[in-house]
């Protein structure tokens, strides 16, 4: 029988809102469970402080927006920038996220990327708008992601979070699809969402 190399003698817990303890998972444990076949390809979740949180289902428009942006950006500056969709970013040993679009330096391998290394995170929001604007904003800011965009799928309005300081974004702007968006740390990826064929 296949077992974990290091089984903790007592599993750490997290505290849920109703006060009941939860097992506290690590990224390494979830990777191992995936290798053992516990999770399938359709199981979409992220890990926040040891708790498994299901990712919202994605609709057609969400997929098309992320796909179109990814297609454009991946060819812009391959010598310096890597662009990936739903790449896992390990924030700590008990927290990881899978943003819709991740931009990081070519000099790094994605498993080594941490929050401060990220050049830009983009989330496309349909049913997850409140989660992305409130909860994920706090997560990305707390772990040092310097620029964070939330694209509202229906209108293509983008909430741009920049000027990270003291664990929060000091500048937050809602910009319409007709305005050119220019990432602070990757200006070559400037884009006008109204030009996307979605």
């Amino acid at each position: 029988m296949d077992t974990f190399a290091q089984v903790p003698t007592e599993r750490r817990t997290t505290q849920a809102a109703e006060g009941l303890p939860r097992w506290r998972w690590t990224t390494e444990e979830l990777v191992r469970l995936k290798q053992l076949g516990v999770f399938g390809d359709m199981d979409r979740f992220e890990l926040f402080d040891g708790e498994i949180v299901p990712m919202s289902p994605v609709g057609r428009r969400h997929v098309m927006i992320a796909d179109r942006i990814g297609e454009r950006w991946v060819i812009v500056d391959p010598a310096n920038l890597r662009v990936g969709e739903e790449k896992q970013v390990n924030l700590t040993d008990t927290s990881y996220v899978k943003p819709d679009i991740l931009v990081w330096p070519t000099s790094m391998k994605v498993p080594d990327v941490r929050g401060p290394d990220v050049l830009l995170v983009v989330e496309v929001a349909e049913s997850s708008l409140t989660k992305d604007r409130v909860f994920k904003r706090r997560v990305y800011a707390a772990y040092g992601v310097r620029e964070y965009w939330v694209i509202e799928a229906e209108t293509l309005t983008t909430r741009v979070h920049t000027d990270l300081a003291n664990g929060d974004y000091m500048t937050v702007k809602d910009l319409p699809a007709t305005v050119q968006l220019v990432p602070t740390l990757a200006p070559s990826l400037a884009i006008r969402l109204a030009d996307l064929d979605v």
Side-chain angles (χ1 to χ4, degrees):
M1 181 172 156
D2 207 326
T3 59
F4 291 108
Q6 295 178 334
V7 178
T9 56
E10 183 176 322
R11 180 168 293 284
R12 295 168 294 170
T13 62
T14 62
Q15 196 71 30
E18 78 285 347
L20 296 175
R22 300 280 198 270
W23 278 355
R24 192 167 190 257
W25 297 94
T26 67
T27 300
E28 184 179 335
E29 289 170 332
L30 294 186
V31 167
R32 187 72 180 117
L33 287 173
K34 171 79 173 170
Q35 291 170 342
L36 293 171
V38 173
F39 303 117
D41 291 336
M42 297 301 290
D43 294 320
R44 301 177 67 250
F45 54 83
E46 295 171 306
L47 187 66
F48 296 107
D49 196 25
E51 291 193 344
I52 299 170
V53 178
M55 293 172 69
S56 300
V58 295
R60 174 186 172 87
R61 188 165 171 84
H62 177 287
V63 170
M64 289 174 60
I65 293 166
D67 187 53
R68 294 292 188 269
I69 294 171
E71 283 175 352
R72 287 180 180 216
W73 282 358
V74 76
I75 62 172
V76 170
D77 188 5
N80 297 300
L81 303 174
R82 294 261 189 238
V83 178
E85 295 180 47
E86 288 200 8
K87 296 291 185 183
Q88 182 171 313
V89 181
N90 297 317
L91 302 171
T92 67
D93 66 339
T94 59
S95 295
Y96 71 79
V97 289
K98 290 184 176 180
D100 290 317
I101 300 174
L102 174 69
V103 181
W104 73 99
T106 301
S107 59
M108 301 187 73
K109 295 187 182 337
V110 73
D112 300 325
V113 172
R114 300 296 178 264
D117 306 315
V118 172
L119 302 177
L120 175 65
V121 162
V122 179
E123 296 285 7
V124 180
E126 285 181 293
S127 60
S128 65
L129 186 61
T130 300
K131 176 183 173 186
D132 289 337
R133 285 185 171 177
V134 179
F135 176 72
K136 286 244 182 128
R137 168 189 171 153
R138 290 196 304 261
V139 169
Y140 288 129
Y143 289 104
V145 173
R146 292 170 286 171
E147 185 163 357
Y148 171 47
W149 296 0
V150 180
I151 299 172
E152 199 278 309
E154 188 59 37
T155 65
L156 297 179
T157 297
T158 303
R159 182 163 289 180
V160 176
H161 305 78
T162 56
D163 300 322
L164 181 66
N166 302 317
D168 198 7
Y169 298 103
M170 300 296 105
T171 303
V172 179
K173 296 178 183 176
D174 287 329
L175 301 174
T178 53
V179 170
Q180 187 176 49
L181 304 172
V182 183
T184 306
L185 301 172
S188 61
L189 301 182
I191 190 168
R192 201 174 83 102
L193 297 184
D195 296 336
L196 295 179
D197 178 25
V198 290

